[in-house]
Amino acid sequence: MCGVVGYVGRRPVLDILVKGLKRLEYRGYDSAGVAYFDSDKLKVEKSEGKLVNVEKLLAGIAPKGLQLGIGHTRWATHGKPTTQNAHPHRTGHVVLVHNGIIENYLEIKADLKKKGYEPASETDSELFGFLVLDKMKSGKKLVESVRESFKLLHGFCSVVVMSEQEPGKFVAVRNGTPLVAAVDPQGGAFLASDAQALLEYTKEMIFLEDGDVLVGDESGIHISTLASTKDAGRKAVTLNWSADKMDKQGFEHYMLKEIMEQPMTMVDTLNSLLDRARTDPFPLAEQPGVEVLRSAKEFILAACGTSWHASLLGKYWLERWGGVPANIEYSSELRYRDPVLRAGAVLIGTSQSGETADTLAIIKEMRKRGVPTVSITNVRGSTISRESNYGFFTSAGPEFSVAATKSFLAQALVFFLWAGHLGLRRSKDIASQVQVIFDQLIKLPHLLESMLKPDGVMVRACEEAAKKFQNAKGFFFIGRGYSFPIALEGALKLKEVAYVHSEGYAAGELKHGPIAMIDKEMVTIVLVPQDSLYEKTVSNLQELKARGSKIIGIGNAGDEKVKKDCDVWIPIPVKSADKDFDESLYPFLLVPAVQLFSYYMAKLKGTDVDQPRNLAKSVTVE
Ligand code: AGP
């Protein structure tokens, strides 16, 4: 959840730390700080609130000598978001940043107090500095002290430590929360909790593994493990993300930019997963894992939040086209259950960040139990992609807005491609249906592009809907069939970025209770494309309207029948007369509408769109 950056070398360290932390601020942002060497003396600057407060403290400072420092943005777990609790924490000559949780911190604190140490903050993190200090007092070197101290910790975390007694290096350990390192081509070393912080310097990244101990100094990177001081033999991987994808490029917010990038996200993901040189539809490029998908007798789909919604779509498609049972599970629940596992079951863990603690835990657990595990992530080298037996990647590029948008579309697309691929092998009849769908699928990026024109009718309608209902008491998003996961996703988006109460429901479920809440101050967003459940959804719309609900309808362009019953109508670019458009593709066109509506609501409410309160992009704690 927290962001970590480190640098040693000849470039101006404070620039690198601040720039890196800016790239990571989307992860956690309740306080920030840096520690750096100035002529072999350690200095710390930190502040509650956003990074900009630290930037002010650093104005005009240009450290002398070897450029060496570490930085941190915090997502509070132990102790309030105050300056005192902000990282780095200094304890005598030792300074550290930490990401994750030390579960046995009360025990450690009690032991340290017995030894006469008095922590100044409420955090679990600070205690690690005392452990290292204590070991160094007994004559041990920094690396050895960090290694030994880390072994005393329970729980998942990573730390980066420096000491004034041994200037010239930082020492880091990873266990469960991500760390990525890179050699500075100009001499020295970079370190970060997320590759995005380093992309403008190099694309060659080394993803640390659990138990790795890293020393960064002027000569580069040295990685051993907690168990052994021998070289761990880690190799660099090349990331294909470009640094220019990381700027807002004229958009007011990353969220808007990332919504608008979805046509390209689709193209990139199609290109990366399909072998377009082949003529059959859904020609999945041969890669490890495809065979496992083909032979699966059952899928267990585990994820959290938006990735769970993409997995729910996956369930619908895998069952319809693949003909394979697919059970959808919240990772946080499944990991503590005792599920009945049938022979031939395959676990699919989906995670944009590739670092979500609950999804990672269930992948590890299933592997232990002999179930093949496949992941869908957006980050090459992420922990989940490495811990699963087979990693598939979305090609959404870096996503900075905490609210996931383009990554959702890309995850959904991966499921769609798999389902289509499996469908081809089922029967002649299904294979010919799948062929038709494939032809429509590859045209979708164009449709999306036409729909997402900034001054186009769909975008304007989303903005108008937000303006009209910005003060509504609450929102329901409803849909049936393939529209149901989009209803859930719409409600989540609106809560996340606009802080407005909203709920997603299967349209047929509303009358089983929630309809009691409907009155004229409530708004229902009805996802009503002309699919096989259209008439039923229209009836649900009428039931709500009759009870006073305001209605925002999202459906086919030219559907005058439903449009006249809506207070605002948001058209998607499939004409109502186009009866051949396959209903399984509607989610790709509906989701940008609910994303944009939420975005405009957030703007009107004046929230921090890209970094909503209390959230973090990468949820590495349970
Ligand atoms: C999405 O907008 C949210 N920020 C959140 O629900 C997210 O999808 C969830 O935390 C899972 O994250 P992951 O995809 O990185 O595993």
Side-chain angles (χ1 to χ4, degrees):
M1 317 279 281
C2 305
V4 171
V5 184
Y7 177 70
V8 53
R10 292 287 151 194
R11 309 186 200 223
V13 64
L14 295 183
D15 285 2
I16 290 173
L17 296 183
V18 169
K19 265 195 194 167
L21 291 176
K22 270 191 191 151
R23 300 267 190 229
L24 299 182
E25 217 186 357
Y26 70 102
R27 291 176 65 100
Y29 30 77
D30 54 46
S31 58
V34 299
Y36 58 96
F37 276 88
D38 190 354
S39 306
D40 288 349
K41 287 274 162 272
L42 254 180
K43 305 270 168 73
V44 176
E45 296 292 355
K46 57 185 185 176
S47 169
E48 64 187 51
K50 296 223 168 190
L51 181 65
V52 62
N53 299 340
V54 178
E55 279 187 87
K56 284 183 197 147
L57 298 173
L58 296 174
I61 300 179
K64 294 191 190 64
L66 179 69
Q67 300 292 292
L68 169 59
I70 55 181
H72 189 268
T73 57
R74 179 167 183 247
W75 191 85
T77 56
H78 296 60
K80 292 185 199 68
T82 58
T83 301
Q84 182 76 279
N85 289 336
H87 301 217
H89 291 286
R90 180 168 187 162
T91 309
H93 57 83
V94 173
V95 74
L96 80 111
V97 295
H98 165 241
N99 176 23
I101 289 179
I102 300 174
E103 284 174 1
N104 56 337
Y105 81 106
L106 286 175
E107 230 170 84
I108 293 177
K109 197 171 189 170
D111 285 350
L112 288 169
K113 283 195 165 183
K114 272 188 220 147
K115 289 187 177 173
Y117 294 115
E118 224 15 89
S121 75
E122 302 161 290
T123 65
D124 51 346
S125 315
E126 187 193 3
L127 305 178
F128 191 75
F130 286 101
L131 294 177
V132 174
L133 190 74
D134 196 53
K135 305 257 175 233
M136 288 184 81
K137 262 192 189 162
S138 68
K140 292 183 173 137
K141 303 297 266 181
L142 177 62
V143 191
E144 205 184 343
S145 303
V146 170
R147 186 180 268 114
E148 286 186 12
S149 302
F150 200 89
K151 286 181 186 167
L152 302 173
L153 308 184
H154 298 170
F156 296 116
C157 66
S158 47
V159 290
V160 193
V161 187
M162 303 189 299
S163 163
E164 224 169 29
Q165 271 189 7
E166 283 185 46
K169 63 167 83 86
F170 53 70
V171 180
V173 187
R174 177 207 149 120
N175 182 34
T177 62
L179 274 182
V180 52
V183 172
D184 182 355
Q186 297 180 15
F190 296 102
L191 181 72
S193 50
D194 191 317
Q196 290 173 18
L198 310 181
L199 270 182
E200 68 180 276
Y201 310 106
T202 176
K203 290 199 175 104
E204 302 297 311
M205 308 277 176
I206 300 171
F207 289 87
L208 269 64
E209 297 190 6
D210 284 348
D212 279 357
V213 177
L214 173 144
V215 177
D217 60 24
E218 218 182 344
S219 68
I221 288 169
H222 314 274
I223 303 175
S224 57
T225 64
L226 283 171
S228 156
T229 53
K230 282 201 199 118
D231 186 278
R234 305 283 173 249
K235 298 267 174 299
V237 295
T238 309
L239 289 190
N240 58 358
W241 292 356
S242 61
D244 64 334
K245 284 216 170 145
M246 304 198 298
D247 295 320
K248 285 195 202 137
Q249 290 167 4
F251 287 94
E252 193 177 344
H253 296 102
Y254 278 114
M255 182 177 179
L256 183 59
K257 173 181 174 261
E258 289 159 5
I259 292 171
M260 295 303 188
E261 277 174 353
Q262 290 180 108
M264 267 327 281
T265 299
M266 235 183 146
V267 171
D268 290 343
T269 302
L270 285 167
N271 283 341
S272 70
L273 289 176
L274 295 184
D275 180 354
R276 299 300 302 279
R278 279 176 27 214
T279 51
D280 46 328
F282 296 102
L284 276 192
E286 283 306 326
Q287 66 157 321
V290 172
E291 200 40 57
V292 170
L293 296 173
R294 284 186 199 132
S295 53
K297 297 279 175 287
E298 173 186 346
F299 291 112
I300 306 166
L301 311 177
C304 308
T306 288
S307 297
W308 191 90
H309 299 151
S311 305
L312 183 58
L313 274 174
K315 169 187 168 70
Y316 284 28
W317 290 322
L318 286 167
E319 289 180 346
R320 179 175 172 196
W321 301 120
V324 183
N327 298 317
I328 171 101
E329 301 277 0
Y330 290 109
S331 305
S332 55
E333 286 295 313
L334 183 59
R335 67 181 287 194
Y336 293 115
R337 273 209 341 256
D338 194 6
V340 177
L341 300 170
R342 277 171 287 218
V346 172
L347 180 99
I348 315 276
T350 303
S351 169
Q352 175 280 131
S353 60
E355 302 295 347
T356 297
D358 287 319
T359 305
L360 175 60
I362 192 65
I363 283 177
K364 286 184 174 169
E365 176 60 27
M366 288 294 155
R367 269 190 79 163
K368 234 196 299 171
R369 294 176 67 167
V371 176
T373 56
V374 177
S375 62
I376 304 176
T377 70
N378 194 39
V379 183
R380 276 174 205 277
S382 59
T383 314
I384 286 177
S385 71
R386 285 186 287 123
E387 288 291 337
S388 52
N389 298 114
Y390 307 101
F392 284 76
F393 297 97
T394 50
S395 298
E399 187 177 67
F400 283 98
S401 162
V402 167
T405 54
K406 61 178 181 171
S407 64
F408 168 84
L409 182 122
Q411 292 168 340
L413 182 56
V414 174
F415 280 115
F416 197 91
L417 296 177
W418 287 353
H421 184 78
L422 297 182
L424 272 184
R425 280 154 184 76
R426 270 179 78 198
S427 68
K428 253 193 170 164
D429 181 37
I430 304 250
S432 64
Q433 290 178 43
V434 160
Q435 171 74 62
V436 173
I437 292 170
F438 186 74
D439 294 342
Q440 294 178 352
L441 175 73
I442 54 174
K443 292 185 192 112
L444 269 192
H446 295 293
L447 274 186
L448 268 179
E449 198 164 32
S450 68
M451 168 175 163
L452 287 170
K453 275 200 221 101
D455 57 348
V457 44
M458 197 283 285
V459 176
R460 282 209 318 268
C462 290
E463 195 170 5
E464 181 203 331
K467 276 190 188 140
K468 193 158 186 163
F469 296 119
Q470 57 181 299
N471 296 318
K473 189 169 74 183
F475 291 80
F476 280 109
F477 287 72
I478 62 167
R480 284 175 178 262
Y482 297 113
S483 302
F484 170 48
I486 306 300
L488 295 177
E489 177 57 8
L492 177 65
K493 265 328 53 118
L494 189 60
K495 279 186 274 231
E496 277 189 294
V497 297
Y499 315 154
V500 172
H501 186 75
S502 53
E503 292 193 52
Y505 263 92
E509 269 296 300
L510 221 65
K511 64 171 79 68
H512 298 288
I515 202 163
M517 294 183 69
I518 295 294
D519 61 24
K520 61 183 179 356
E521 288 172 70
M522 294 290 285
V523 178
T524 310
I525 299 180
V526 187
L527 303 166
V528 58
Q530 286 179 322
D531 56 14
S532 52
L533 300 169
Y534 171 72
E535 299 295 347
K536 294 186 190 303
T537 313
V538 173
S539 302
N540 297 134
L541 185 155
Q542 300 296 355
E543 288 160 11
L544 293 159
K545 196 174 162 65
R547 284 157 183 81
S549 176
K550 301 285 183 290
I551 307 284
I552 299 173
I554 308 179
N556 297 70
D559 186 352
E560 299 303 324
K561 179 179 134 194
V562 174
K563 183 180 173 182
K564 71 174 172 25
D565 284 329
C566 299
D567 297 275
V568 179
W569 177 248
I570 302 176
I572 58 169
V574 177
K575 297 241 165 56
S576 68
D578 185 354
K579 302 284 179 246
D580 294 331
F581 189 79
D582 193 88
E583 61 181 12
S584 61
L585 292 163
Y586 276 124
F588 294 106
L589 299 173
L590 294 171
V591 77
V594 299
Q595 294 166 343
L596 276 171
F597 173 70
S598 304
Y599 169 76
Y600 286 119
M601 281 287 287
K603 253 187 81 172
L604 289 163
K605 296 272 177 194
T607 63
D608 192 341
V609 177
D610 287 330
Q611 297 173 354
R613 67 186 178 202
N614 304 337
L615 301 182
K617 185 73 178 163
S618 182
V619 185
T620 50
V621 294
E622 287 190 45

